[in-house]
Amino acid sequence: MSVLLRADNLVKHFPIRQHMFGRETAVVHAVDGVSFELRAGETMALVGESGCGKSTVGRLVLRLLEPTSGKVWFGGEDLTALPPQEMRSKRRELQMIFQDPYSSLNPRMTVEQTLVEPLALHGLAPGRHRERAAELMDLVGLAPQYLQRYPHEFSGGQRQRIGIARALAVEPRLIVCDEPVSALDVSIQAQIINLLQDLQRRLGLAYVFIAHDLAVVKHIASHVAVMYLGHIVEYADKRGLFASPRHPYTQALLSAIPLPQPGARRERMLLQGDVPNPIAPPSGCRFRTRCPYARERCAQEVPALRDSGGHSVACHFWEEIAPPAAAVADVAVNERLVRLQAAFRTTGVSKEVETI
Ligand code: SF4
């Protein structure tokens, strides 16, 4: 399958004024040199602590934010070079699903108006808007008779389905899913994840999936990029990443997952200190202020993201660092996954199982 999306050395710096009345400005280094590729029908997960830059990458990909430098290629076309008018019509192919569907839906518009608006904007389904809105409701597992209702009349899971239907209205090829299930209960999470996977199979969609729940990531992603303070520190297919995490930060994320058995203990890799200020990130390796393996070289030299057998890592010493209890960490992910999958099986794919 050919590459659908390519992010090429993306950088996003936000200038801020440090004093209310002064001219002194500083720069927040939100994203610094992020590159990756995504093929049609694949899902790439972006994971990391809040503030690591993953949501900014999602918005840069859709050009909802202009990059400070770097390029985004979509279907062989440089999106960053498109004039605003062309970008508006191109955006039909790139959509976004938000964490909180309620705040992204207009409370004064019925579901039908919400779904018809993008159709009218892009001149799609002329003369059959109502029919197409009903098809979209069916596609996401909601009954078309709810088309005349307002967002507040739906549950959180149903509102997320409406958000997905609105994204699908314009027949996109790529969807950026920004924490789409993190505000939902586990059983509802399972329904939405199942729905997204089913839609991917049927429509050949590619997803950039932004998340912090590693069990959900393991279920849905084909590849995983781990971000820390604006950099990708590890990138691999999900099997490689969960079975053998190479970067100390990834190892710490995995070891932080609680074991499901009551009373069970395992060695946890605790990180020292807080995430550094993105206005003045550490020299060399940005993770060095919290890394238990940091040495002098780490302060002087930025580790490049180097590929070894299809598994990339940005650490000078990764070959010397054994993954501590990685298998145990993976068991923890797997056990949570088993519980999620049980929920996935019982909830099915696109049935509407919630009541209004
Ligand atoms: Fe730790 Fe150094 Fe590797 Fe950075 S380069 S992750 S500080 S060992």
Side-chain angles (χ1 to χ4, degrees), residues 43-44 46 54-59 61-62 64 91-105 114-115 136 139-140 156-184 188-189 191-200 203 205-211 220:
T43 300
M44 192 197 72
L46 281 173
K54 53 191 193 300
S55 291
T56 306
V57 170
R59 281 161 175 75
V61 161
L62 301 183
L64 296 174
R91 202 160 276 132
R92 183 170 89 74
E93 299 177 51
L94 305 107
Q95 289 292 303
M96 188 155 192
I97 299 169
F98 297 90
Q99 177 181 0
D100 178 5
Y102 193 63
S103 61
S104 69
L105 296 172
T114 300
L115 298 181
L136 288 164
L139 196 59
V140 299
Q158 288 166 331
R159 283 198 288 261
Q160 192 55 288
R161 286 173 189 261
I162 296 166
I164 294 170
R166 187 180 54 180
L168 293 176
V170 290
E171 297 165 24
R173 297 160 74 195
L174 170 81
I175 299 182
V176 174
C177 308
D178 190 359
E179 303 264 13
V181 295
S182 55
L184 305 174
I188 309 298
Q189 281 184 13
Q191 293 172 25
I192 299 297
I193 296 287
N194 275 349
L195 175 64
L196 288 171
Q197 287 191 306
D198 181 50
L199 292 169
Q200 184 172 53
L203 307 174
L205 297 164
Y207 296 137
V208 174
F209 194 90
I210 297 164
I220 195 168

Side-chain angles (χ1 to χ4, degrees), residues 247-248 285 287-288 291-295 298 303 314-318 321:
H247 197 281
C285 175
F287 187 55
R288 72 175 167 81
C291 178
Y293 308 103
R295 301 179 211 173
C298 305
C315 172
H316 296 307
F317 304 110
W318 73 266
I321 299 168

Side-chain angles (χ1 to χ4, degrees), residues 131-152:
E131 208 181 321
R132 178 67 183 141
E135 283 170 14
L136 288 164
M137 289 289 273
D138 191 49
L139 196 59
V140 299
L142 288 173
Q145 72 247 35
Y146 300 144
L147 273 170
Q148 298 313 317
R149 298 197 180 196
Y150 289 86
H152 73 269

Side-chain angles (χ1 to χ4, degrees), residues 234 236-247 250-251 254 311-313 318 321-323 326-327 330:
E234 186 160 1
D237 66 63
K238 73 171 170 192
R239 188 183 296 267
L241 188 117
F242 283 95
S244 178
R246 292 178 178 173
H247 197 281
T250 314
Q251 293 169 4
L254 284 172
H311 189 149
S312 305
V313 60
W318 73 266
I321 299 168
D330 204 33

Side-chain angles (χ1 to χ4, degrees), residues 55-126:
S55 291
T56 306
V57 170
R59 281 161 175 75
L60 289 172
V61 161
L62 301 183
R63 236 184 103 185
L64 296 174
L65 287 173
E66 292 295 333
T68 305
S69 65
K71 292 193 179 302
V72 178
W73 299 86
F74 181 74
E77 196 169 11
D78 180 4
L79 291 187
T80 45
L82 287 182
Q85 186 65 31
E86 280 182 49
M87 187 61 220
R88 267 196 289 279
S89 64
K90 177 58 74 179
R91 202 160 276 132
R92 183 170 89 74
E93 299 177 51
L94 305 107
Q95 289 292 303
M96 188 155 192
I97 299 169
F98 297 90
Q99 177 181 0
D100 178 5
Y102 193 63
S103 61
S104 69
L105 296 172
N106 186 335
R108 293 195 179 84
M109 286 168 79
T110 63
V111 177
E112 181 174 333
Q113 289 167 333
T114 300
L115 298 181
V116 163
E117 189 182 45
L119 296 176
L121 197 67
H122 291 278
L124 296 169

